[in-house]
Amino acid sequence: MPNPEHLVPPAVAISGGEPAAAPLPMQWPVTAVRGVGSERAKLLAKLDIHTVEDLLLHKPRRYEDRRKFLPIRDLKLKEAATVRGKIVAAGVKRWKRGERAMFECVFDDGTARLHCRWWQAQPWMEDWYAVNREFLVYGKPDSLKPRNIDHPETELVEPGEDEFIHVNRIVPVHALTDGLTARVVRTLVWQALEQFEAQVPEPAWGHLPAVGSALSPTPGKTPARDLPFLTGLPTRANAVHMVHFPEELTDVEIGRQRLALDEFTALQIQIQSRRKKFEVNARALPCGGDNRLMKPFLAALGFKLTGAQTSVLREIRADLGGEHPMRRLLQGDVGSGKTAVAACSALMALEGGFNVALMAPTEILAEQHFRNFQKWFTPLGINLALQTGSQKTENAAPTGADKAGTLYIGTHALLTGGFELPQLGLVIIDEQHKFGVTQREALVRKGNYPHLLVMTATPIPRTLGLTLYGDLDVSVIDELPAGRGSIKTFVRTTEKLPKVFEFIREKITAGRQAYIVYPRVDVADTDKDIKAVTKEFETVKKALAPFQAGLLHGRIKPAEKELVMAAFRANKIQALVATSLIEVGVDVPNATVMLIENAEHFGLAQLHQLRGRIGRGAHESFCILISDALTDEAQARLKILADTTDGFKIAEADLKLRGPGELLGQRQSGSMRLRFGNLAEDLNLIRQARVLAAKILA
Ligand code: ADP
Ligand code: MG
């Protein structure tokens, strides 16, 4: 599996020190902890715990305040709580002979009784939950008459020394696996702290508070989770202790932040040193340009660049004429006009006598770019070559007398081993989030330190931007071209579909076009509740006849895809029935309706991209999300989309709801293993880590 180098987890780095002959205690196998034999080591390995450090950094899932238990009498319906009681009755209940059996026991703490049930009785239960044994019981009562909790978490109270670890304090409840109870894991962590806490080293870059001013919070912008800087940071050893056995619950967050800061700092050091190394080694190719192609291009373009486009181009021009090769991320919401910026950047490099490569994630998008650039560039005497999986190097002969270089456009087929990109001055990657860092670097390596411009419409929350793209400079197009119609978004249930199709007919009759999107290609791929495009195509055709509908999905042959797209562009097809294949880049300004069925099956960022296909012309546009999903999460997500068209807000909300997986796109998320850092919340810590990393490297 490709593993982008700068995302390698910092697990080792934070153990500090030069590589020594003998491994540090932190790297010792977990069997060094008393109480861990080969059997337990095997179980711990299932939790990805292999070393002493892994165990010490095993993050608790939650905490229980066992300094005070709730009297059973005071249990409230559906409110999780811990009680402490003695078993007064227990036994197996069987409905019929040989049928499923249930185990039930009754706890009493002197204030009231609590019934607990396990729906699958296990053979060991009768011995374990024996009358007179005392247990801690954690769970949510599902009834109060009688008081009952099904499948509670329980822990045996053993009188004696253990009292200190498991009760009379705030205790951690860790992630568990079969065969390892909360009590066992807690004991092992406790033991590991006893043996090794004093040997938890500060990171190789030294004790953090010594860096001082780097850690002052941003004035006026201090979120609740921020560190109490005035009292200083705990040492790493203290922080590890605090996250497992805090004195007060507030300690947990302080310890977590310290450990998260270490993780982010290690990550930033990797990112920044990579960039440094690159700057030392690489001399920039002179691609600043002289406007000889740019001038006629802008004159023929048909619109004036927006202020945001212009200022981004100023930054890019400075880079292209600068000392070090450009490494720039261009972020701009869907429809903000990144393609025109890419074209201008390409012209600068072409003016300098260099060739340019532009890589897009799908054939449809590569072909669309090819057509646009052909229209723009061929009159200027620039060569164009297309390289996709199905179409190789279709050359458009230059018409101008003064031949300028070549613009290569393609998919990842550009990366093919034998395919040469001579005199490469600039690499442009469109919809970067669809590629891995490895692919980006593979294209760059086809040249001799060419300039790099990566573009993405997926608005990346600042936290992720600084982490994932920390080695890139960032430009933002924060303004849409004027004269765009607004987009209205509605969430509806399938019941309303007939009305929705009536509405689409109206719009088509008025001359507009529509996209209709389904999550799946084929019914065979899916359960019956998720609609598939091949099946629904027939329904849509009937519903919209005599207007024409076209079908587009990943399993259609490229040549046919191209025909369908061409027909849609020419308005010979009024409705394009498709999968999320059309999510990136497709630009048909006359299309003003986006209908998405089973909307709950798409990520928020993806829905936002899909919606970005409309609202590209002057007409008012409509996005209709169909979903029968009833869960709070699904409803909340769709509501965010209905409430805002601001891509950054959507991305941030998505990050909070679903974690970084979707935003990072394929693969990249898996390799970013943060134990304590939270990419959705820790913007301040990430900022501090950047400053720290810069100081450390200086
Ligand atoms: P994206 O940033 O999503 O890639 P595109 O580059 O596809 O956006 O641009 C969206 C549409 O806006 C295209 O039709 C493009 O021609 C048009 N466009 C780009 N810049 C401007 C501008 N400055 N004024 C008017 N229209 C523009
Ligand atoms: Mg685009």
Side-chain angles (χ1 to χ4, degrees):
M1 196 171 89
N3 187 11
E5 310 102 273
H6 76 270
L7 295 178
V8 169
V12 177
I14 51 184
S15 293
E18 294 286 301
L24 293 160
M26 290 297 103
Q27 299 313 320
W28 290 353
V30 70
T31 44
V33 176
R34 236 168 282 135
V36 182
S38 61
E39 277 309 302
R40 280 200 174 148
K42 256 188 232 150
L43 294 173
L44 287 168
K46 284 194 205 164
L47 295 169
D48 224 359
I49 296 172
H50 308 280
T51 62
V52 170
E53 181 175 67
D54 290 338
L55 182 58
L56 287 174
L57 297 182
H58 185 45
K59 190 176 177 241
R61 223 160 28 86
R62 60 181 181 84
Y63 299 85
E64 272 180 32
D65 190 343
R66 293 187 178 170
R67 291 169 302 189
K68 224 169 75 191
F69 300 105
L70 203 63
I72 291 179
R73 185 184 54 207
D74 294 347
L75 281 173
K76 295 207 174 60
L77 200 60
K78 310 263 186 232
E79 278 185 27
T82 310
V83 300
R84 176 178 184 160
K86 268 201 175 128
I87 294 183
V88 291
V92 174
K93 276 190 184 165
R94 220 171 276 279
W95 282 274
K96 273 188 226 143
R97 262 173 60 90
E99 270 215 2
R100 265 190 341 142
M102 179 187 76
F103 182 80
E104 177 166 23
C105 62
V106 182
F107 296 91
D108 192 324
D109 70 349
T111 68
R113 289 188 167 189
L114 170 69
H115 294 248
C116 289
R117 299 182 296 186
W118 287 262
W119 291 87
Q120 299 276 344
Q122 305 290 330
W124 51 267
M125 284 182 166
E126 276 176 284
D127 287 337
W128 183 251
Y129 295 108
V131 170
N132 270 333
R133 275 190 160 184
E134 190 175 19
F135 282 87
L136 305 176
V137 181
Y138 172 85
K140 271 187 202 170
D142 49 36
S143 107
L144 293 180
K145 283 183 185 166
R147 290 180 183 81
N148 183 80
I149 298 179
D150 284 346
H151 301 276
E153 284 182 32
T154 66
E155 230 177 278
L156 182 65
V157 181
E158 284 177 291
E161 73 215 77
D162 265 9
E163 283 260 324
F164 188 62
I165 303 180
H166 303 286
V167 286
N168 298 330
R169 61 158 50 255
I170 297 169
V171 298
V173 182
H174 297 88
L176 305 173
T177 182
D178 258 0
L180 283 177
T181 63
R183 191 183 178 85
V184 169
V185 175
R186 193 181 305 125
T187 310
L188 295 179
V189 170
W190 179 272
Q191 185 57 47
L193 282 168
E194 290 263 287
Q195 286 173 254
F196 297 107
E197 182 176 334
Q199 297 173 67
V200 172
E202 288 303 302
W205 54 83
H207 188 51
L208 284 174
V211 192
S213 63
L215 292 171
S216 31
T218 329
K221 277 194 168 178
T222 314
R225 319 189 89 214
D226 215 22
L227 283 167
F229 286 93
L230 297 178
T231 58
L233 286 162
T235 62
R236 196 171 158 76
N238 279 342
V240 171
H241 192 107
M242 283 160 100
V243 298
H244 291 293
F245 294 99
E247 294 284 319
E248 295 296 334
L249 277 172
T250 44
D251 289 354
V252 173
E253 179 57 13
I254 297 170
R256 183 199 74 85
Q257 292 207 9
R258 164 63 214 252
L259 299 177
L261 187 62
D262 287 358
E263 290 175 347
F264 288 132
T265 306
L267 207 54
Q268 290 296 334
I269 287 177
Q270 288 180 24
I271 292 166
Q272 290 179 25
S273 55
R274 217 168 79 121
R275 166 103 194 202
K276 272 217 158 131
K277 211 159 79 195
F278 171 80
E279 284 185 349
V280 169
N281 290 332
R283 186 60 42 86
L285 302 169
C287 289
D290 57 11
N291 279 328
R292 119 184 93 86
L293 298 167
M294 185 81 79
K295 274 211 180 107
F297 169 76
L298 290 177
L301 190 56
F303 52 77
K304 205 168 156 290
L305 296 182
T306 61
Q309 284 170 318
T310 309
S311 68
V312 164
L313 276 169
R314 208 170 296 128
E315 292 174 321
I316 291 174
R317 189 187 287 281
D319 283 357
L320 292 179
E323 201 179 330
H324 305 297
M326 173 168 76
R327 310 235 103 192
R328 188 166 286 278
L329 169 70
L330 174 57
Q331 262 188 65
D333 214 336
V334 279
S336 60
K338 292 183 294 297
T339 318
V341 171
C344 292
S345 313
L347 288 176
M348 293 177 200
L350 289 158
E351 284 166 355
F354 293 94
N355 295 325
V356 176
L358 166 61
M359 182 160 74
T362 66
E363 291 201 6
I364 292 181
L365 185 52
E367 277 154 19
Q368 177 181 291
H369 279 324
F370 186 70
R371 238 182 349 267
N372 276 335
F373 281 91
Q374 214 170 20
K375 192 177 69 198
W376 290 333
F377 282 14
T378 313
L380 302 173
I382 298 161
N383 247 320
L384 275 108
L386 179 67
Q387 173 84 355
T388 67
S390 54
Q391 270 173 289
K392 306 266 185 255
T393 319
E394 172 193 303
N395 269 309
T399 52
D402 59 332
K403 257 196 188 181
T406 301
L407 170 62
Y408 299 89
I409 297 179
T411 56
H412 49 267
L414 286 173
L415 304 176
T416 317
F419 188 69
E420 299 225 351
L421 295 165
Q423 279 285 88
L424 193 56
L426 168 66
V427 164
I428 304 174
I429 298 180
D430 195 13
E431 309 289 353
Q432 147 78 16
H433 61 284
K434 293 273 166 187
F435 294 102
V437 176
T438 342
Q439 282 165 308
R440 160 181 122 192
E441 293 306 315
L443 188 52
V444 165
R445 270 196 296 276
K446 292 231 169 179
N448 184 23
Y449 291 112
H451 297 277
L452 172 70
L453 177 66
V454 305
M455 311 198 291
T456 183
T458 299
I460 297 149
R462 294 280 296 151
T463 49
L464 276 188
L466 293 175
T467 314
L468 244 196
Y469 298 122
D471 61 334
L472 303 176
D473 297 313
V474 179
S475 298
V476 180
I477 308 186
D478 51 6
E479 174 190 7
L480 292 179
R484 295 279 170 83
S486 66
I487 303 179
K488 291 211 168 86
T489 304
F490 305 96
V491 182
R492 295 285 182 266
T493 54
T494 41
E495 225 178 67
K496 291 282 190 312
L497 267 178
K499 274 220 144 81
V500 170
F501 273 101
E502 224 171 89
F503 175 80
I504 296 177
R505 269 191 93 86
E506 253 170 54
K507 293 294 157 199
I508 292 179
T509 311
R512 304 286 78 76
Q513 290 165 277
Y515 297 99
I516 302 176
V517 176
Y518 297 93
R520 298 286 186 267
V521 174
D522 207 324
V523 266
D525 304 338
T526 177
D527 60 69
K528 62 180 181 338
D529 294 333
I530 308 172
K531 292 192 177 177
V533 69
T534 42
K535 174 152 179 279
E536 301 304 320
F537 181 51
E538 300 305 321
T539 325
V540 174
K541 263 203 300 206
K542 276 192 207 112
L544 297 179
F547 295 113
Q548 297 296 308
L551 177 65
L552 203 63
H553 57 74
R555 290 182 210 162
I556 288 178
K557 288 209 184 71
E560 200 177 317
K561 266 189 216 161
E562 199 27 54
L563 284 177
V564 174
M565 270 316 293
F568 189 64
R569 260 193 310 273
N571 199 1
K572 289 191 180 114
I573 287 172
Q574 286 74 43
L576 190 60
V577 184
T579 55
S580 62
L581 183 75
I582 56 154
E583 122 192 34
V584 282
V586 175
D587 184 35
V588 180
N590 190 47
T592 60
V593 181
M594 169 65 65
L595 168 64
I596 303 172
E597 294 212 43
N598 288 126
E600 72 279 3
H601 281 276
F602 297 93
L604 263 192
Q606 206 179 12
L607 289 170
H608 179 64
Q609 292 292 312
L610 283 166
R611 179 168 61 178
R613 299 311 112 216
I614 57 171
R616 294 182 161 244
H619 296 281
E620 188 173 30
S621 290
F622 303 89
C623 175
I624 305 143
L625 306 171
I626 304 288
S627 175
D628 292 339
L630 293 173
T631 63
D632 290 349
E633 198 213 287
Q635 295 284 328
R637 289 174 54 222
L638 297 179
K639 183 163 181 324
I640 290 163
L641 220 63
D643 286 350
T644 180
T645 50
D646 181 332
F648 280 91
K649 285 199 189 126
I650 291 169
E652 254 160 35
D654 208 23
L655 184 59
K656 286 197 175 131
L657 282 168
R658 315 224 310 177
E662 189 192 333
L663 284 167
L664 297 186
Q666 28 120 313
R667 305 192 212 110
Q668 304 192 348
S669 59
S671 52
M672 175 128 49
R673 184 163 165 234
L674 297 170
R675 288 168 159 126
F676 294 91
N678 181 340
L679 284 170
E681 316 244 327
D682 288 338
L683 179 57
N684 242 8
L685 286 176
I686 294 171
R687 287 214 174 106
Q688 285 155 14
R690 265 170 81 85
V691 177
L692 265 173
K695 288 202 172 197
I696 291 155
L697 289 175

